Amino acid sequence: MSFLRRIITKISGTPTKMVLVVRADLKLSKGKTGSQCAHAAVICYHRTLDRHPDLCSTWFAQGQPKIVLKVDSLTELKELQKAAKAQGIVAEAVRDAGRTEIEAGTTTVLGIGPDDKEKIDSIVKHLKLL
């Protein structure tokens, strides 16, 4: 199969996405939130690339769709992580280094995916945008 045909197949395949879930209770600055979300996206991409390289290729070819949502507590974040992992979806939490705004080791963001959009939506559909 030609390179172009592989790309077209991936683009038209099952929709994929990644979700970044931010702890709103921490009241992080915009810059800190962006940085923590970037960490989560990179970590999740690498974990998925190791386990499901074709899924990563599809997600990448579809434009790397991402959405940023919020929760109000660490407990909510952990519940989402558990639910995602139970479905075999990559779900990685970011813990801050503690050099700027918050204490070292504080869990700030949960990255979920990339994976099938419907699978991820079944876990996060009740959450609001950040």
Side-chain angles (χ1 to χ4, degrees), residues 55-124:
L55 180 58
C56 269
S57 295
T58 299
W59 176 72
F60 199 86
Q62 292 174 352
Q64 314 94 51
K66 295 168 237 41
I67 189 165
V68 182
L69 305 171
K70 64 181 176 179
V71 293
D72 293 322
S73 70
L74 177 59
T75 301
E76 283 182 84
L77 205 73
K78 287 182 177 182
E79 289 170 4
L80 292 170
Q81 186 175 29
K82 184 178 177 182
K85 287 187 174 191
Q87 288 195 38
I89 301 170
V90 168
E92 298 293 330
V94 174
R95 288 168 190 80
D96 192 66
R99 291 189 278 257
T100 56
E101 298 180 17
I102 55 177
E103 185 177 324
T106 302
T107 302
T108 57
V109 175
L110 175 68
I112 302 174
D115 211 308
D116 178 277
K117 180 184 181 302
E118 288 183 15
K119 283 173 56 178
I120 292 176
D121 286 346
S122 73
I123 297 166
V124 301

Side-chain angles (χ1 to χ4, degrees), residues 23-40:
R23 282 185 56 195
D25 60 309
L26 295 175
K27 298 182 181 5
L28 302 172
S29 69
K30 291 177 184 178
K32 186 66 163 178
T33 299
S35 177
Q36 296 297 292
C37 285
H39 289 316

